[in-house]
Amino acid sequence: MENLEEKKQRVRELLKERDAILLAHNYQRDEIQEIADFTGDSLGLSIEAARSDAKVIVFCGVHFMAESAAILSPDKTVLLPRIEAGCPMADMITGEDLKRFREEHPDYTVVTYVNSTALVKAYSDVCCTSANAVSVVRYLDGKKIYMVPDRNLARYVASRTGREIESWNGYCPTHDRLTLEEVMEKKEEYPDALVVVHPECRPEVVDAADHVCSTSGMYKFCRESSAKRFIIGTEMGILYRLRKENPDKEFILASESLICPNMKLTTLDDVIEALEENKYVITVPEEVRERARKALDAMLAIPRDA
Ligand code: 13P
Ligand code: SF4
């Protein structure tokens, strides 16, 4: 199949045939976002996966996201079209690492970013996403907090909550690459623009920003803001919807290097193959799943503005 429209049509037919929904992260290729039943940030996608009553969930994102869907919806078939689409940050800490930390530091409450493996979640007290990390930590008033795996998110949450937070030394290679110099250069070029960045960015970049939020938070902020120009510090896939939804506004990527290769792997051909051949089915061993689910449920039970 050569034609893009034909491919999209084939995806739609297959989704119907298989009683499937297609979930896509905000960093996915434009054509994947266009065909998705739901696009969103990690929090929105996990809620959608749990809520849907489709038999099959095709997850266009990276491995930990499909795993979260499998943890929350064990009775559904969860497909990740490209099995090698992983998250390097999630792989910076293993279940064994966190198990050891817990044995050595039983007094800490472990808050785990959803960008983590199922086994790491299983050793955690509560999960968080970039959209609710501040609320989760505020809710855990009086507890000693240890955050994994993202040092940058931990530092951002500490600054927003005034809490002392220790963390694992992980980071997102895509966001951590963005330098303050790059942001300042863009700011010089576009002095009227607001700087909007993801909390996975380096502390000095976060401190220089006008607004810090999750990917879906960026859609809301840019839509509601009266500003006309924005310098965006997150993966370039976000630009597709920002530009589509705000034709009168201008979005400038803070750096050309803001590309996550893993998020760009999945193509329409892969989605077709995934649905035709039922691959790759993501499952989590039951004992791990139950424990990881508790950490995800604990997160989902915390009010957003806690
Ligand atoms: P959110 O979409 O939850 O903000 O996460 C960003 C991210 O890096 C996911 O891989
Ligand atoms: Fe992981 Fe960063 Fe890519 Fe998100 S953007 S999947 S955190 S490497």
Side-chain angles (χ1 to χ4, degrees):
M1 217 180 285
E2 288 300 310
N3 182 295
L4 201 64
E5 283 316 310
E6 273 175 31
K7 288 182 191 180
K8 286 186 196 158
Q9 188 50 35
R10 181 69 186 136
V11 171
R12 281 188 205 102
E13 283 165 15
L14 284 163
L15 288 170
K16 214 166 168 192
E17 259 171 45
R18 296 220 43 202
D19 188 11
I21 56 161
L22 197 146
L23 304 184
H25 188 265
N26 293 326
Y27 297 158
Q28 288 292 293
R29 291 167 182 256
D30 297 359
E31 64 274 22
I32 298 285
Q33 292 193 44
E34 206 182 312
I35 190 114
D37 293 295
F38 186 86
T39 53
D41 62 7
S42 310
L43 179 62
L45 292 173
S46 40
I47 292 171
E48 200 56 35
R51 193 159 48 195
S52 162
D53 46 32
K55 282 205 185 85
V56 178
I57 294 172
V58 185
F59 219 113
C60 296
V62 291
H63 193 271
F64 76 81
M65 297 180 172
E67 226 179 28
S68 295
I71 292 166
L72 292 168
S73 312
D75 49 334
K76 291 171 195 151
T77 300
V78 178
L79 301 178
L80 181 69
R82 290 290 290 265
I83 194 64
E84 68 277 42
C87 168
M89 167 156 65
D91 295 332
M92 286 180 187
I93 183 167
T94 65
E96 202 43 51
D97 291 328
L98 188 53
K99 181 170 179 269
R100 198 175 322 114
F101 174 85
R102 297 218 66 146
E103 282 161 5
E104 288 167 8
H105 306 88
D107 50 331
Y108 277 89
T109 295
V110 174
V111 179
T112 296
Y113 193 24
V114 286
N115 299 36
S116 53
T117 64
L119 193 55
V120 166
K121 289 185 179 76
Y123 284 113
S124 310
D125 293 298
V126 57
C127 289
C128 72
T129 74
S130 58
N132 63 14
V134 170
S135 302
V136 168
V137 167
R138 280 203 183 118
Y139 188 80
L140 298 170
D141 197 21
K143 307 255 196 239
K144 267 178 94 171
I145 307 282
Y146 193 73
M147 283 184 80
V148 303
D150 190 1
R151 64 184 184 209
N152 291 340
L153 181 69
R155 187 289 187 171
Y156 165 70
V157 174
S159 74
R160 281 287 306 275
T161 58
R163 303 280 300 275
E164 205 174 292
I165 298 177
E166 289 189 53
S167 74
W168 192 255
N169 196 24
Y171 59 92
C172 161
T174 301
H175 287 87
D176 198 68
R177 214 180 284 143
L178 177 63
T179 64
L180 180 61
E181 290 67 35
E182 286 174 306
V183 174
M184 286 309 165
E185 264 172 40
K186 289 281 191 259
K187 191 77 196 149
E188 227 167 85
E189 210 178 324
Y190 305 97
D192 59 325
L194 291 183
V195 177
V196 185
V197 308
H198 196 275
E200 287 174 14
C201 291
R202 296 177 186 187
E204 63 273 25
V205 168
V206 163
D207 290 344
D210 295 293
H211 192 66
V212 184
C213 57
S214 76
T215 54
S216 289
M218 289 189 191
Y219 296 124
K220 185 171 185 295
F221 178 79
C222 297
R223 186 177 57 239
E224 290 172 0
S225 168
S226 57
K228 289 286 175 206
R229 271 187 174 154
F230 302 86
I231 296 165
I232 301 293
T234 196
E235 212 276 347
M236 50 84 71
I238 192 105
L239 296 174
Y240 167 70
R241 244 174 82 198
L242 279 176
R243 287 178 177 151
K244 199 171 153 194
E245 291 175 1
N246 305 279
D248 57 327
K249 297 182 178 177
E250 193 182 348
F251 299 96
I252 301 122
L253 199 61
S255 163
E256 291 310 308
S257 68
L258 284 164
I259 299 181
C260 172
N262 290 280
M263 280 287 185
K264 293 290 170 279
L265 282 175
T266 311
T267 63
L268 285 176
D269 288 323
D270 296 325
V271 175
I272 293 170
E273 213 172 294
L275 282 158
E276 283 177 343
E277 296 176 23
N278 200 43
K279 67 184 194 184
Y280 294 87
V281 179
I282 304 301
T283 54
V284 178
E286 192 52 23
E287 185 260 339
V288 174
R289 193 191 72 78
E290 274 171 22
R291 286 162 44 215
R293 171 148 200 162
K294 279 193 190 136
L296 280 169
D297 281 345
M299 168 185 87
L300 294 170
I302 295 174
R304 258 303 275 285
D305 48 4

